[in-house]
Amino acid sequence: MKDVQLRKLFTDTDQYAGKEVVVRGWVRTNRSSNKFGFVEINDGSYFKSVQVVYEEENIENYEQIAKAPIAAALCVIGELTLTPEAKQPFEIKATKIVVEADSDADYPLQKKRHSLEFLREIAHLRPRSNTFSAVFRVRSLVAYAIHRFFQDQNFVYVHTPIITGSDAEGAGEMFQVTTLDLDKLPRNDDGKIDYSQDFFGKETNLTVSGQLEAETFALAFRNVYTFGPTFRAENSNTARHASEFWMIEPEVAFADINDNMELAESMIKYIINYILEHAPEEMKFFNEFIDKGLLDRLNNIVSNEFARITYTEAVEILKKSDKEFQFPVEWGIDLQTEHERYITEEVFKKPVFVTDYPKEIKAFYMRLNEDGKTVAAMDLLVPGVGEIIGGSQREERYDNLVARINEMGLHEKDYWWYLDLRKYGGVKHAGYGLGFERIIMYITGMSNIRDVLPFPRTPKTAEF
Amino acid sequence: MKDVQLRKLFTDTDQYAGKEVVVRGWVRTNRSSNKFGFVEINDGSYFKSVQVVYEEENIENYEQIAKAPIAAALCVIGELTLTPEAKQPFEIKATKIVVEADSDADYPLQKKRHSLEFLREIAHLRPRSNTFSAVFRVRSLVAYAIHRFFQDQNFVYVHTPIITGSDAEGAGEMFQVTTLDLDKLPRNDDGKIDYSQDFFGKETNLTVSGQLEAETFALAFRNVYTFGPTFRAENSNTARHASEFWMIEPEVAFADINDNMELAESMIKYIINYILEHAPEEMKFFNEFIDKGLLDRLNNIVSNEFARITYTEAVEILKKSDKEFQFPVEWGIDLQTEHERYITEEVFKKPVFVTDYPKEIKAFYMRLNEDGKTVAAMDLLVPGVGEIIGGSQREERYDNLVARINEMGLHEKDYWWYLDLRKYGGVKHAGYGLGFERIIMYITGMSNIRDVLPFPRTPKTAEF
């Protein structure tokens, strides 16, 4: 007889009521008298555990089961009985239980609460805890929701390269990738390292963004998106930064900054609705134990239009405010998290797109506006987090782009293929980047990026 | 008036018949007399292009349009007219055409056929060609089919780390990741490089497999899968190897090698059915221009059960055969591609699982069989390619695993967390790896891995 996953029992209970079922799972709690016992098992397929009742008089190996420790694995045969009076909707009255795997007594995840810091040290076991079971299922569902959102609209998913030989992205500090023997570095006549002998015949790094490559695909397929790992070698030890994280970068041809904002807004709403529908148990748990206002906040987001203001308007709002900011506000400054959060949390109380930033504080590829001072950038700020999306309409005019590359002290020849896009049918196009971990933090209420990455990589930390 | 994507016009033609539509796209061909012209435009949303008819007497800028070069972008307003007599199902009779972007005369992708080698040099433009438009759309759809297959069965998608500090995977040569200044390497007193000053405080590499980490999640969620980039620093310049490629690694708790084979077989069939349904135009193109027997072969696969033989049986078959192999066959050898292809192409003429290999030629984590000589490994061989999947039931018995680690000369302490899984509820479990590019090659008939990766990384090549 084939076993049934617990998710099936919980989501389709009536089908199994009164019937014999086989289930497998790991012990979460186990208590017993000399007559009967209750063991809660969980197989990871569902957030909740199932309660199994076992009685001395009909379970052959009663004593063994009564001693089964947390994390031991059991196979249970028994009848599924509805329990309308109890907290749980049903239980299983066991007729037979087999221990499929034992667990040592020093299992680190005992019933008591553990600190998130401690759980990070046992990242190989923490997905068995309630919190991380919820986090990593939601992470998986959000990833899928993102694919669904784009694929349903006929976007092409493109795997942009991880190892990059171009120094052209300019979005942050990079990790070097090499197969040279560092103890015997080959050198040229002038004493410089001879990278022609490195694996790729030149210096290579880990990518910080797939955007430039994604643009090449957008100008072929019209609608594309990336979803892959990106890297930053910045030595910043904050709760919001990791050295390895995942990013989603849609890019759309024949689209301007307004189309871009529409896409971003509908994507965020789609993801939240998907999670509210597909992970109700997990979301209830987060709302109760991690972040009390979570569900209200998310429901508020899906049912309201996002605000849209220009950078210039944002600066005016900030200057007029009574609030004391650590960083003084003047037109031209880069907005700090304190500014962003004031605008989205206190002024608008909902997500806000801020557009048209001074060109000096934005990347070379953003489209210059008519005023010659600002670019068609858009950042999405959300309550509780600040910036969650950064994007722009891209500069599609060849001469403007070359001018910006030179102005920024970059090298035109590094961008030959990117410039080609502007020579051959280079229509208007726009795109943005969504930090995947940021949206997971936002949806779960978890406040440290280390707790939404399965095995986080941060300065001085690359365990497992 | 909003524009309509070409895919909509082709898949829902009747809705638009006789109506005015707005479309945008890039010129694929353009020919004209002094009275009227035909321009084919494609917006990348669909494999086929749409034909637009424009006439001198009602198109204001007729001369400009008549001169619009390949790759220029047009916005066309006109009436969609069914053309039941013609090759194409409909055309658009333009009333207005606007040039949205011009194209230089030296556009490299002119109408004539180009070699695949030449197209690799212009990887930023090749998705605009028929072949690569088809390849990369199929690649996107296969990726999505894989997510759907697993998510529909409640598998949890896990992002295993790309940068790894553990040397434990042992599946191949690795790339080193560092932020040390190679010109000023810090050294210890004994003259060795001081990796405590490197970004992660130790030596780190790019992952060759997420399996070991995936196992930690399988023993929490029961059903999990990875889908991410993996790396090999081997200097092998073949048509089947890339230095950076994507891999899918499902891992299932409470599963043995037979469950593993069932999962792999149903996954392959699901993917093929999904592509046949969702990319019929592209598949027709591959069947006609890339690989004549392709559709027959794929249809054959989805409608037949895969064969299953043991390694020992495979060796017997090979020894009995009249075929002259380059590598002689004896029990104990690793099967070569010539052997694999003979078995799947000439003996079974369909996909074949080969199981229970000698432990000496397989990884330390595979489960030792009762005979003490073989392990519960499974490779899936398919006609035309050879091995496409490699997997196994994992060794869940602590003592056996430690013994194998020592036998292979590995270090127990490097595997502390992997061994923990065997101490705390370490039930039987199994999984496999599917090379993503291999399945794309198999489904499209493309014979070089460089032609199914958007921007391939191979020895001495990391362009774009």
Side-chain angles (χ1 to χ4, degrees):
Chain A
M1 200 173 145
K2 231 180 128 59
D3 61 13
V4 192
Q5 292 189 23
L6 296 190
R7 173 170 295 266
K8 277 221 164 150
L9 295 191
F10 277 100
T11 54
D12 201 6
T13 312
D14 289 347
Q15 194 199 313
Y16 296 97
K19 295 200 180 127
E20 183 174 78
V21 293
V22 182
V23 293
R24 290 185 157 83
W26 292 278
V27 174
R28 285 285 179 92
T29 66
N30 189 8
R31 60 210 154 85
S32 58
S33 68
N34 58 356
K35 288 283 188 216
F36 58 91
F38 300 97
V39 60
E40 278 192 337
I41 62 170
N42 188 298
D43 70 351
S45 71
Y46 195 64
F47 185 69
K48 288 185 178 165
S49 304
V50 68
Q51 174 159 285
V52 175
V53 190
Y54 56 100
E55 295 180 43
E56 197 271 341
E57 68 174 20
N58 60 4
I59 294 293
E60 208 173 277
N61 52 345
Y62 183 84
E63 271 181 56
Q64 186 197 17
I65 302 307
K67 280 185 204 144
I70 294 183
L74 307 180
C75 176
V76 175
I77 305 179
E79 187 188 307
L80 187 144
T81 312
L82 298 181
T83 52
E85 318 277 287
K87 210 177 132 203
Q88 71 277 10
F90 63 88
E91 61 187 21
I92 294 172
K93 292 202 187 303
T95 51
K96 186 172 177 182
I97 305 183
V98 178
V99 177
E100 297 213 340
D102 203 358
S103 179
D104 284 9
D106 62 349
Y107 182 61
L109 264 180
Q110 297 298 331
K111 183 78 188 151
K112 74 176 172 88
R113 281 245 190 159
H114 300 283
S115 73
L116 295 175
E117 289 74 13
F118 169 72
L119 291 170
R120 273 173 223 152
E121 289 169 24
I122 50 165
H124 62 309
L125 301 175
R126 67 177 178 169
R128 305 174 180 197
S129 69
N130 280 333
T131 303
F132 289 97
S133 152
V135 166
F136 293 124
R137 183 177 306 281
V138 166
R139 187 180 165 105
S140 166
L141 291 171
V142 172
Y144 187 53
I146 289 167
H147 281 296
R148 266 179 71 141
F149 173 78
F150 287 116
Q151 295 268 345
D152 284 353
Q153 296 177 75
N154 192 34
F155 278 61
V156 169
Y157 176 31
V158 49
H159 288 131
T160 51
I162 311 299
I163 298 173
T164 169
S166 85
D167 201 16
E169 298 163 355
E173 298 278 318
M174 293 175 115
F175 288 101
Q176 187 171 354
V177 175
T178 182
T179 56
L180 292 177
D181 181 346
L182 302 198
D183 271 318
K184 293 178 208 156
L185 288 170
R187 302 214 173 244
N188 291 322
D189 294 344
D190 58 0
K192 286 197 175 147
I193 295 167
D194 179 10
Y195 282 109
S196 74
Q197 296 188 40
D198 204 348
F199 191 89
F200 295 107
K202 59 175 168 179
E203 233 183 304
T204 50
N205 296 292
L206 291 179
T207 186
V208 295
S209 161
Q211 178 203 314
L212 305 195
E213 288 92 351
E215 285 184 48
T216 70
F217 269 60
L219 292 169
F221 288 109
R222 182 161 185 161
N223 297 307
V224 306
Y225 68 109
T226 72
F227 190 159
T230 46
F231 305 84
R232 293 284 185 287
E234 268 120 39
N235 195 8
S236 52
N237 250 309
T238 83
R240 290 156 40 91
H241 292 91
S243 312
E244 172 180 320
F245 57 98
W246 287 65
M247 194 144 70
I248 296 96
E249 297 181 285
E251 192 73 34
V252 180
F254 302 108
D256 63 20
I257 188 174
N258 293 310
D259 302 316
N260 212 23
M261 285 190 274
E262 258 173 55
L263 184 70
E265 179 167 343
S266 64
M267 179 195 69
I268 296 282
K269 289 177 173 173
Y270 182 95
I271 294 171
I272 294 174
N273 280 323
Y274 187 87
I275 291 304
L276 293 174
E277 185 184 341
H278 288 84
E281 298 298 332
E282 285 81 356
M283 293 309 295
K284 222 171 86 185
F285 171 84
F286 290 127
N287 194 55
E288 212 163 309
F289 294 102
I290 303 291
D291 181 351
K292 294 265 184 241
L294 185 68
L295 286 179
D296 281 349
R297 202 166 66 231
L298 295 178
N299 282 316
N300 180 38
I301 282 174
V302 291
S303 48
N304 280 292
E305 275 199 12
F306 295 5
R308 297 185 185 191
I309 57 171
T310 65
Y311 168 89
T312 303
E313 288 163 350
V315 167
E316 277 160 26
I317 290 169
L318 292 166
K319 288 178 84 165
K320 267 191 258 165
S321 115
D322 298 330
K323 188 118 179 173
E324 288 252 335
F325 294 111
Q326 201 193 331
F327 294 89
V329 178
E330 272 311 320
W331 198 97
I333 65 151
D334 209 353
L335 300 183
Q336 302 296 316
T337 302
E338 57 171 347
H339 307 136
E340 294 176 342
R341 294 188 61 166
Y342 174 75
I343 289 170
T344 180
E345 288 167 21
E346 299 187 40
V347 181
F348 289 94
K349 299 180 172 54
K350 63 178 181 179
V352 183
F353 284 109
V354 181
T355 62
D356 304 302
Y357 286 75
K359 66 175 181 177
E360 284 76 15
I361 59 170
K362 289 290 182 185
F364 73 93
Y365 49 71
M366 298 192 179
R367 192 179 198 278
L368 191 66
N369 287 326
E370 298 283 291
D371 62 16
K373 294 192 306 183
T374 61
V375 289
M378 56 152 242
D379 283 0
L380 176 62
L381 315 180
V382 294
V385 171
E387 187 195 324
I388 200 166
I389 280 177
S392 73
Q393 185 169 339
R394 317 307 187 187
E395 183 56 81
E396 86 281 13
R397 295 161 296 187
Y398 187 90
D399 294 339
N400 282 25
L401 186 57
V402 170
R404 288 292 290 149
I405 286 172
N406 290 325
E407 245 174 77
M408 307 277 256
L410 304 169
H411 304 291
E412 215 179 302
K413 70 170 171 35
D414 292 340
Y415 297 91
W416 69 271
W417 53 271
Y418 190 66
L419 285 165
D420 262 8
L421 300 180
R422 279 69 185 167
K423 277 173 113 167
Y424 309 120
V427 293
K428 68 178 172 186
H429 59 290
Y432 60 82
L434 166 72
F436 184 58
E437 283 73 21
R438 292 267 171 96
I439 187 89
I440 305 297
M441 291 168 74
Y442 190 55
I443 285 177
T444 60
M446 299 297 287
S447 56
N448 195 311
I449 197 167
R450 289 164 184 79
D451 296 327
V452 299
L453 278 154
F455 299 95
R457 270 78 181 99
T458 53
K460 301 295 171 206
T461 307
E463 301 310 310
F464 305 99
Chain B
M1 201 173 144
K2 229 179 131 57
D3 62 13
V4 192
Q5 291 188 25
L6 297 190
R7 173 170 294 266
K8 277 221 164 151
L9 296 191
F10 277 100
T11 55
D12 201 5
T13 311
D14 289 347
Q15 194 199 313
Y16 296 97
K19 293 194 182 136
E20 183 173 78
V21 293
V22 182
V23 294
R24 291 186 156 81
W26 292 278
V27 173
R28 286 286 180 90
T29 64
N30 190 7
R31 59 208 154 86
S32 59
S33 67
N34 58 356
K35 288 282 188 214
F36 58 90
F38 300 96
V39 59
E40 277 193 336
I41 63 170
N42 188 298
D43 70 353
S45 71
Y46 196 64
F47 185 69
K48 289 186 178 166
S49 304
V50 67
Q51 174 159 287
V52 175
V53 190
Y54 54 100
E55 294 181 42
E56 197 270 339
E57 67 175 21
N58 58 3
I59 295 291
E60 209 172 276
N61 52 345
Y62 182 83
E63 269 181 58
Q64 185 196 18
I65 302 307
K67 280 186 205 142
I70 295 183
L74 307 180
C75 176
V76 175
I77 304 178
E79 187 188 311
L80 188 145
T81 312
L82 298 181
T83 51
E85 319 277 287
K87 211 177 131 201
Q88 72 277 8
F90 63 86
E91 61 187 21
I92 294 173
K93 294 203 185 305
T95 51
K96 187 172 176 181
I97 305 183
V98 178
V99 178
E100 297 212 341
D102 203 356
S103 180
D104 285 8
D106 60 350
Y107 182 61
L109 264 180
Q110 296 298 330
K111 185 75 186 153
K112 73 176 172 93
R113 282 241 190 165
H114 301 284
S115 73
L116 295 176
E117 290 74 15
F118 169 72
L119 291 171
R120 273 175 222 150
E121 290 169 25
I122 51 166
H124 61 308
L125 301 175
R126 68 177 177 168
R128 307 174 180 194
S129 69
N130 281 334
T131 301
F132 289 96
S133 152
V135 165
F136 292 123
R137 183 177 304 282
V138 165
R139 186 178 167 106
S140 167
L141 292 170
V142 172
Y144 186 53
I146 289 167
H147 281 296
R148 265 179 72 142
F149 173 78
F150 288 116
Q151 295 267 346
D152 284 353
Q153 295 178 76
N154 192 34
F155 278 60
V156 169
Y157 176 32
V158 49
H159 289 129
T160 51
I162 310 300
I163 298 174
T164 172
S166 84
D167 202 14
E169 299 163 356
E173 299 279 318
M174 294 174 111
F175 289 101
Q176 186 170 355
V177 175
T178 183
T179 56
L180 292 177
D181 180 345
L182 301 199
D183 271 318
K184 295 178 207 154
L185 287 170
R187 302 220 173 238
N188 290 322
D189 293 345
D190 59 0
K192 286 195 176 150
I193 295 167
D194 180 9
Y195 281 110
S196 74
Q197 297 189 41
D198 205 348
F199 191 89
F200 296 108
K202 59 175 170 181
E203 235 184 301
T204 50
N205 296 292
L206 291 179
T207 187
V208 295
S209 160
Q211 179 203 314
L212 305 194
E213 289 91 352
E215 285 185 48
T216 72
F217 269 61
L219 292 168
F221 288 110
R222 185 165 182 156
N223 298 307
V224 306
Y225 68 108
T226 73
F227 190 159
T230 47
F231 305 85
R232 294 286 186 285
E234 268 119 40
N235 195 8
S236 52
N237 251 311
T238 82
R240 288 156 43 92
H241 293 90
S243 312
E244 172 181 317
F245 58 98
W246 287 64
M247 194 143 72
I248 295 94
E249 296 181 286
E251 192 72 33
V252 180
F254 302 108
D256 64 17
I257 187 175
N258 293 309
D259 302 316
N260 213 22
M261 285 190 276
E262 260 174 52
L263 184 69
E265 179 167 342
S266 63
M267 179 195 70
I268 297 281
K269 288 176 174 173
Y270 182 94
I271 294 170
I272 294 173
N273 279 324
Y274 187 88
I275 292 303
L276 293 174
E277 185 184 339
H278 288 83
E281 297 298 332
E282 284 82 356
M283 294 309 295
K284 222 172 85 185
F285 171 82
F286 290 127
N287 194 56
E288 211 162 311
F289 293 103
I290 304 291
D291 180 351
K292 295 266 182 236
L294 185 67
L295 286 178
D296 281 347
R297 202 165 67 232
L298 294 178
N299 283 315
N300 179 39
I301 282 176
V302 292
S303 49
N304 281 293
E305 275 198 14
F306 296 5
R308 298 184 185 192
I309 58 171
T310 64
Y311 167 88
T312 304
E313 288 164 350
V315 167
E316 278 160 24
I317 289 170
L318 292 166
K319 287 177 85 165
K320 268 190 259 166
S321 114
D322 298 331
K323 187 118 180 172
E324 288 251 336
F325 295 112
Q326 201 192 332
F327 295 89
V329 178
E330 272 312 319
W331 199 96
I333 63 152
D334 209 353
L335 299 183
Q336 303 296 318
T337 302
E338 57 170 347
H339 306 136
E340 293 176 343
R341 293 188 61 165
Y342 174 76
I343 288 171
T344 181
E345 288 168 18
E346 298 187 38
V347 182
F348 288 95
K349 298 180 172 57
K350 62 178 180 177
V352 184
F353 285 109
V354 180
T355 62
D356 304 301
Y357 286 75
K359 66 176 179 176
E360 285 75 15
I361 59 170
K362 288 289 182 184
F364 73 94
Y365 50 71
M366 297 192 178
R367 192 179 196 279
L368 193 65
N369 287 327
E370 298 283 291
D371 61 14
K373 293 191 309 180
T374 61
V375 289
M378 55 153 245
D379 284 359
L380 176 61
L381 317 179
V382 295
V385 172
E387 187 197 324
I388 198 167
I389 280 178
S392 73
Q393 187 170 340
R394 317 307 187 184
E395 183 56 83
E396 86 281 14
R397 295 160 298 187
Y398 188 89
D399 295 339
N400 282 24
L401 186 57
V402 169
R404 287 292 290 150
I405 285 173
N406 291 323
E407 247 174 76
M408 307 277 258
L410 305 169
H411 304 292
E412 217 179 301
K413 69 167 173 37
D414 292 341
Y415 298 91
W416 68 271
W417 54 271
Y418 191 65
L419 285 165
D420 263 9
L421 301 180
R422 278 70 187 169
K423 278 176 140 165
Y424 309 120
V427 294
K428 68 178 174 187
H429 59 288
Y432 60 83
L434 166 72
F436 184 59
E437 283 73 21
R438 292 267 171 95
I439 187 88
I440 304 297
M441 289 167 75
Y442 190 54
I443 286 177
T444 60
M446 299 296 288
S447 56
N448 195 312
I449 197 167
R450 290 165 183 79
D451 296 327
V452 299
L453 277 154
F455 298 95
R457 271 72 182 103
T458 53
K460 301 293 170 204
T461 307
E463 302 310 310
F464 304 98

